Amino acid sequence: MDTERCLVIARFQPFHYGHLNAIEYCYRNYDEVIIVVGMASQSHTPENPFTAGERLLMIRGALKWAGHDLSRYVTVTLPTLEVNRAAVHFVRQYSPPFKSVVTLNPIIQRLFMEEGYEVIPPPVKERDTYSGSAIRRMMLANDPSWKQLVPPPVAEIIERIGGVERIRMLYSERLPGYYATA
Amino acid sequence: MDTERCLVIARFQPFHYGHLNAIEYCYRNYDEVIIVVGMASQSHTPENPFTAGERLLMIRGALKWAGHDLSRYVTVTLPTLEVNRAAVHFVRQYSPPFKSVVTLNPIIQRLFMEEGYEVIPPPVKERDTYSGSAIRRMMLANDPSWKQLVPPPVAEIIERIGGVERIRMLYSERLPGYYATA
Amino acid sequence: MDTERCLVIARFQPFHYGHLNAIEYCYRNYDEVIIVVGMASQSHTPENPFTAGERLLMIRGALKWAGHDLSRYVTVTLPTLEVNRAAVHFVRQYSPPFKSVVTLNPIIQRLFMEEGYEVIPPPVKERDTYSGSAIRRMMLANDPSWKQLVPPPVAEIIERIGGVERIRMLYSERLPGYYATA
Amino acid sequence: MDTERCLVIARFQPFHYGHLNAIEYCYRNYDEVIIVVGMASQSHTPENPFTAGERLLMIRGALKWAGHDLSRYVTVTLPTLEVNRAAVHFVRQYSPPFKSVVTLNPIIQRLFMEEGYEVIPPPVKERDTYSGSAIRRMMLANDPSWKQLVPPPVAEIIERIGGVERIRMLYSERLPGYYATA
Amino acid sequence: MDTERCLVIARFQPFHYGHLNAIEYCYRNYDEVIIVVGMASQSHTPENPFTAGERLLMIRGALKWAGHDLSRYVTVTLPTLEVNRAAVHFVRQYSPPFKSVVTLNPIIQRLFMEEGYEVIPPPVKERDTYSGSAIRRMMLANDPSWKQLVPPPVAEIIERIGGVERIRMLYSERLPGYYATA
Amino acid sequence: MDTERCLVIARFQPFHYGHLNAIEYCYRNYDEVIIVVGMASQSHTPENPFTAGERLLMIRGALKWAGHDLSRYVTVTLPTLEVNRAAVHFVRQYSPPFKSVVTLNPIIQRLFMEEGYEVIPPPVKERDTYSGSAIRRMMLANDPSWKQLVPPPVAEIIERIGGVERIRMLYSERLPGYYATA
C-alpha cells in the first residue's frame, strides 16, 4: 500500500496547541495521520479527567476549526497499559501501518526509536509552553489563561461539560481504584 | 451539542456488505457515524484473525470505495472486555455522545435497549446472507465466493496480508493464551 | 474469635435445590454461613446468564422462603478469576475466616482440601438431580419442569427479569468478549 | 419489585462512625441496605491495609453492636477497578437493584448523580470528623484516640489481627505490585 | 554481548520427548538456552493441568536425566496473555536477548518470523508423535503408553503429584473461571 | 522429594550486593535456590527501569562472577500483581516447592510467615547499605559510587544498555500507563 502515515500519540488531557502543532506537521507531510488517544479507559482522575469520547470531541473540533480535512485522520483509542517495552507493539496492534511517530513525550520518542521507528521530535519550545498538566494546574488555580493554550472549540467543550469544575473536584478528592500517575 | 451521531459496533472479522449496509443507514440519517471496532486487542485467533489496525484499513477502504465522506466518521478501538451488563457503558466511555445504535448482533441490540438507547435493527436478510464466521468458513473451505460478500478493497487488503493463509493456519493450530469464543 | 463459619461457593446460575440443601447443612451446624457468588463479574453469557446482583436476589429470596434467619449469612461477590491453585487464597482474601467449605464441584472440593481446609461433600445424589447447566438446558428446550428444581422465589425472579428469554437468546448468539467455559 | 434498597459504597479502611451514621440513615428509611466493600481485591497496602474479609467482620460487628437487624443488609465485595465513568455500572452488575446511593466521597456522589441515581449526601460535619486516612495517620503517630472514631467491635478486631502494627509496617515499607492511591 | 542464545517456548503440559529434541538442538548449537514456560499463571484446567512450578520441576528433571549442564539454561515463566501480535514482544520483555526461536507450534513460528526472528522448525515427525494433548488423552483413556512419550523423571513427578488422577478429574468437571483453549 | 529449596524474591532494580549476600546464604545451605524476579511485566518506569530479561542477565552475570554453580539456580519471572494476601500463593503457583524464603523486604517476610513459611531475615546492616532505590538516586545525582554497590558484571550490563541515561530520562518524564509505586 502506498499510503504514508504518521502516528501521533498522546493523552490529550486536554488537547492543546502543542498537540495541534505536532499534528499539523504530520498533516502537511503525510497522506494520513493516525491519532492515538492513550489511556482511553481512564477518566475522572486528576491526571486523566476526560473520557476518551470527550477527548475525541476535542480533537475533531480543533482540527475542523484549523481547517483540516478530517477524512485524512484515523482515530485509535488505546486502553491504559502496563508500562513496558512491549507497549510500542501494542500500539501497532491497534493501528494501521505507519512510517513515522510524533509525540511530545521524550520517553515515548525513545521507545519507538529503539524499536526501529522514525521518530520526529516536535520543537522543544512547544513542550515548555504547552502542557496538559500546566493547563490543569491553571484550572485549579482559577487562572483563565488556560484558554489561550487550547483551540477555541476545546475551551467550549470543556465549558459545556463542566470540565473545570470536574478537575477541581478530582484534585480535592479521589475515587477509589487504579490510577495512572503519568 | 447539535451533532447527531449513530454508533455502529462490530468486530469486522472481516468487514462485509452486511456491515456496509448497516453503516450506510447511519451515514444517510445522521451527522456523524461512530464505528467501534470491538475486541481490538485480539488478533491471530480463529474468531479474530485480523488486528484492529488491519480492520481499520478494511473499513476505511470500503467506505472510500462506497463514495462516503470519511470526515463524517469517527473510529474507536475497543479492547476485549469481560461480558457483562456494564460493557455498554464502557462503550460510552470510549465514544463521543450518540443517539442511536446499529449492530447486527441481537444481544448487543438488546443490551443497549435495556440501557435506554434507541437501537435500529438492520434488515434480517442481512444477517443470513452476510456473516463474518460464514466468510471465514468459506476461506477455510477454499471457496472463493467469499469475495462476493466483501467490498473489493477488503478482498484486496486480505490478499495483500495473506489473510486466507493466516486463517487456515489459525484454524488448524492455536496460540496458547486467552481466546474469546464469540 | 469464636464464631464458626462455613463457606459455600458456587456460581448460582441459577440458585437451585442442590444449593439450598448444601447451604442448609451449614446453616444447621455453624454460627454463620458465607455465600460466595463466583464469577460475579460475568453475565449475559450462556454459562453465566444472570448478573451477580440478580443471583443475590435469588439466594436471599430462597433462603427467606426456607425460613432461614438471613442475619446469619454473609454474602461475598467474587470476580471471574484465572483458574489456578492460588484461587483458593483469593477466596480467603474476600471472606471472613471460615473453618469448612461446602461446594458441589468436586475440583473445588479438592483444591480446598489440598490447601488444608475441611471440605464437606454434599450427598452425591444432589449433583445428579440438580445442576445449573441441566436447568439452563431445560429452559432452552422449553421444558417447564425446570421450575421444580428451584425454590419458588427463584422461579419468580427469573420470570420477572425475562430470564428464560435471555438464556435462549444467549445460546443462539454470543456477545463478543471474554467468556468462561465453566 | 417492592423492596426499596439504599446502597452504601466505601472502602471501610477501617469502618468508622462516619460510615455508621451514613448507613443508619439508609437503615431507617429503606427496606434493605446494600453495603459495597470497594477495592476488595487489595490489602496490605498503606491505603488499603485490611482484607475484604476483615472489613466484612468490622462492618457486621459494628452493625450488631448498634443493634441493627443484619438480615436487612446485603454485602457485596467489589474488586479494584480502573477509574472511569463505567465504574458506576460495574457496581450495578454486582448489586441487587437500588434506588438511592449514600457515600462520603463527593466524586462518587457526583458520578452516580450523572448516571441518574438519587444520591443522598451525608452531613458535611461527618467528613471532617471521621475519615479512614485520618484514623490511619493516628495509628502511625501512636495516637490512641483513633479508638474514639470507630465502634468498639472494630477496635477489638483491629487489635486481634495486629492491625496497628500492620499499618505501621506498611507505611514504612511497600510491597512490590499494583497500588491504588485513593 | 557475545553469548548466543536460543529461545524455546511451549506450555510443557507435560514436558515430552518432542520438547526434549527441540531443546537439544539449541543446547548443541548455542551458548545458552532460554526456556519459556507459557501460560504459567494457569493450572488445574483440562488444557493446563500442571502449575508452572510443577512444569519447571519436569523440565529440570528431564534435562538432568539427559545429561545436560543446567547452568546453560535460563528459565522464564510467562503469564497467560491475550492472543495478539504484540505477544512476541512481551516474550522479549521477559527474556534475555536471543537470536533464534524454536517452537513446535507453527503459528508461534510464524509470528516470530513476521517480527524478524530466525525461527528453527523442529522435524515434522516430532509433532505427529509427541504432543501434550495426545498424552493427556492417553491418561484419560487409562492408556499407560503415555509414559513412553515422556522422559522417566517426568513420569515420576506426574505420579508423585497424582497428575493422572488430577487430569481425569479436570476433564470430567471444570473450575469456574478463565480458561484458555489452546 | 528430597531436594531442599530456598526462594529469594526481589525486583532486582538493579541486582546489588545486598541481593548477592542474601542469595549466598541460600546457596550454601540448600540444594537449589529459586530466584523470583518480581514485577517482571514492568520496565521503563522510575521504580522499575529494567526489563525482566535485563535483570536475568544481571543476576546470572553476578552469580557467575561470584563463582557459583548456576545449575543449582532456578529462575522464575513473576508479573506485576495487585497487592494482597493471595500474592504469596501466586508465587507458589509459579515456583517449584520451597522450604524457606529470603527477602530484604520486611513486609514480604511477614506475609510469607503468616502463610506458614520459614522466613530467613538477612542481616539488618544489608538493608541500610544496599538498596535499589538508593542506587537509582545515586545514578540520578551523577554519583558514580553506585558502582561499588553492585557486582562488576551488573555495572557492565547497565553501561552497555545505557541504563543510567534511561533512569535519568524516566525520572524526568513518565510514560502514560500503569505504574507500581514500590
Side-chain angles (χ1 to χ4, degrees), chain A residues 41 80 82 173-174 178, chain D residues 81-82 84 105 127 178 181:
Chain A
S41 50
T80 317
E82 188 173 18
E173 286 287 324
R174 278 183 168 267
Y178 287 125
Chain D
L81 302 175
E82 189 173 18
N84 60 41
N105 184 311
R127 291 223 82 203
Y178 288 126
T181 52

Side-chain angles (χ1 to χ4, degrees), chain F residues 51-120:
Chain F
T51 70
E54 290 166 343
R55 293 179 258 165
L56 286 172
L57 279 184
M58 293 178 198
I59 292 165
R60 290 175 60 88
L63 295 176
K64 239 182 243 174
W65 169 85
H68 291 205
D69 173 8
L70 285 183
S71 73
R72 285 172 50 209
Y73 284 97
V74 190
T75 47
V76 166
T77 45
L78 195 74
T80 316
L81 301 175
E82 190 174 16
V83 177
N84 59 41
R85 183 171 275 160
V88 161
H89 299 279
F90 209 67
V91 172
R92 272 178 64 210
Q93 161 83 16
Y94 269 66
S95 169
F98 51 95
K99 212 186 136 183
S100 311
V101 175
V102 173
T103 170
L104 300 176
N105 184 311
I107 307 184
I108 300 185
Q109 288 169 25
R110 187 169 161 161
L111 271 175
F112 273 95
M113 255 185 290
E114 287 180 8
E115 300 300 302
Y117 281 92
E118 185 195 356
V119 174
I120 299 154

